[in-house]
Structures are given as C-alpha cells and as structure tokens.
Amino acid sequence: MAEQLKDLADDRALLGRTSTAERVSDILRSRIAEGYFPPGTRLSEDSIGGALGVSRNTLREAFRLLTHERLLVHELNRGVFVRVLTVEDVEDIYRTRRLVECAVVRGLGEPPYGLDGLAGAVAEGRRAAREGDWKGVGTANIHFHRELVALAVSERTAELMRSVFAELRLAFHVVDEPQRLHEPYIARNIAILEALQAGERSKAERLLAGYLDDSLERVVEVYRRRVGEDG
C-alpha cells in the first residue's frame, strides 16, 4: 500500500486549485483500473486524502460517485472497499459491451474512418507483447476498445463505457492470468483494424461480436474458478 500511496501522491498535481470530487474520482477510477487498488482492497480515507491533499468530505463524495459506478462498495462499520465482481456482473459487462461496441461499428457510416487511435493501441499491444508485459497488453487492449467506442464521437457513449471498462479491469485483476487472457486478442484486434481500414464495416462487426463472445467465455471460465477458490 505504501508504494501505491506514493504513486497516488504524484497525482496530486493533477488536481490543481479547482479540485473537485469529480476530479478525485477520475484519479481513483484510473488507479483502480490500473490495479493499484485490487478488488477487495480497503481504501483508507486518511491515507488517500493525505496523499491527494483533499478534505475528508471531498474524498467521501468521490467514494460515493465511484460506488454509484459500482467500482467501490461501502460496508457498514468496516469502510469502503474496491468491489469484487460476481460472475453475473462479468456476464452483464460483456452483454453491455456487445450491445454498445457492435452498434458503434454498425453505425460508422461510409469510410474512410479515423483509425489512428485504434492503430496506436494495436502498436502498443504488440510492443508490450514483445517485452513480455502481459498486463501491458491488457491495458493496450482496453485502449483499443476505448478508441473503438470513440469512433461514435459521442460523449455520453464514451462516459458510459469508461465505467464499464473500469469494471472490466476489476475482473481481469481477479483472473490474474494475463498472458492466457490477452495474448489471443492481439491478432484479433489487428484483424478488426484491417477490416475497418479496408472499409469493411460489416466484417469488422462480425469479428468484434465473435471476439467478445469468445472473451466472455474465457474470462468467465477462469473467473468462476478463481472466485470459487477465494471463497
């Protein structure tokens, strides 16, 4: 926890003079998604508030916002914890992803599409794989899907999926088999990118739908076993 708090203190400069609970929640959401605070971790008001230099009330409001996003849970007389998802949560996350991401691709209109962000995420994933950084591959994979959603040019859709992707990372942290989980999707991301580069929107949607179905099956298989072991 000491190392995480030191890194969190580095984020203090991001708050500036106009710090708000929303900006604190943005920082904590990112840190939770990156695994600095794994599922089940108790979040100390004193330690985190001190690291960020914010008041207890501001921090409590940030916790409330993240609880509303289902990233945190408040346990009476125990405190605030990073949420541990159920298998049903994971299935619902993927159901939401399939509905939104496939609809984004379906609604792209006529090519060409602005694919620099997607291409950058693919390159990021390939670079991480060469270095054997499988958690980095997972991060690049999330970036790929964020960039895919960004093609909708919809702030509401991006905001919705930002929370969904953060929840997804909670599942990934529990699975904790990053190479097995993420390596197969490097090539599949490339295939989706290439279909979009060729203007083949329907093909890209089919590839994406199959990708998400296979990923759900793989994640749930391992997640169910891990949650059962932990229980």
Side-chain angles (χ1 to χ4, degrees):
M1 177 65 76
E3 182 179 347
Q4 288 94 325
L5 290 172
K6 179 181 180 299
D7 288 337
L8 194 63
D10 293 339
D11 287 333
R12 187 169 179 170
L14 299 176
L15 296 174
R17 293 188 175 183
T18 58
S19 62
T20 63
E22 287 82 4
R23 295 181 72 178
V24 173
S25 68
D26 286 344
I27 288 172
L28 293 178
R29 184 188 303 104
S30 295
R31 290 298 186 175
I32 290 167
E34 291 164 6
Y36 283 84
F37 302 114
T41 301
R42 181 180 180 278
L43 300 185
S44 165
E45 287 186 2
D46 291 339
S47 297
I48 293 175
L52 290 176
V54 297
S55 70
R56 188 180 296 266
N57 286 340
T58 296
L59 188 60
R60 285 178 177 174
E61 176 63 12
F63 283 172
R64 188 191 67 79
L65 292 170
L66 294 176
T67 299
H68 181 70
E69 293 180 20
R70 297 175 297 278
L71 296 179
L72 302 180
V73 60
H74 181 268
E75 297 186 11
L76 189 63
N77 298 323
R78 293 193 65 217
V80 175
F81 294 80
V82 179
R83 191 159 171 252
V84 178
L85 303 181
T86 65
V87 171
E88 291 74 21
D89 289 326
V90 176
E91 291 171 337
D92 193 40
I93 287 167
Y94 272 89
R95 190 158 45 242
T96 302
R97 291 186 66 192
R98 204 180 194 282
L99 283 169
V100 174
E101 293 185 49
C102 289
V104 168
V105 173
R106 192 181 316 125
L108 282 177
E110 294 302 314
Y113 312 119
L115 303 175
D116 288 349
L118 278 182
V122 164
E124 177 188 351
R126 297 176 80 170
R127 183 168 56 251
R130 286 195 301 269
E131 297 170 355
D133 177 9
W134 298 107
K135 289 191 176 180
V137 172
T139 296
N141 191 36
I142 294 291
H143 291 168
F144 179 88
H145 289 276
R146 282 180 181 163
E147 292 294 340
L148 187 70
V149 168
L151 295 175
V153 196
S154 165
E155 188 62 37
R156 291 174 179 82
T157 304
E159 184 176 349
L160 165 68
M161 294 307 292
R162 178 182 63 180
S163 177
V164 169
F165 290 139
E167 280 193 272
L168 181 64
R169 289 303 290 264
L170 294 181
F172 287 170
H173 295 317
V174 170
V175 170
D176 197 27
E177 294 184 1
Q179 181 172 359
R180 179 171 181 259
L181 185 64
H182 301 303
E183 187 174 22
Y185 300 103
I186 298 173
R188 298 179 81 159
N189 285 349
I190 293 170
I192 292 169
L193 174 62
E194 290 176 345
L196 291 174
Q197 287 172 330
E200 297 176 329
R201 183 184 56 194
S202 295
K203 178 181 179 181
E205 184 184 352
R206 287 195 304 272
L207 290 171
L208 176 61
Y211 173 127
L212 292 173
D213 289 344
D214 291 345
S215 181
L216 170 60
E217 182 177 352
R218 182 181 296 264
V219 171
V220 166
E221 172 199 351
V222 182
Y223 196 85
R224 194 185 303 276
R225 186 171 70 248
R226 284 298 175 93
V227 170
E229 289 172 355
D230 292 343

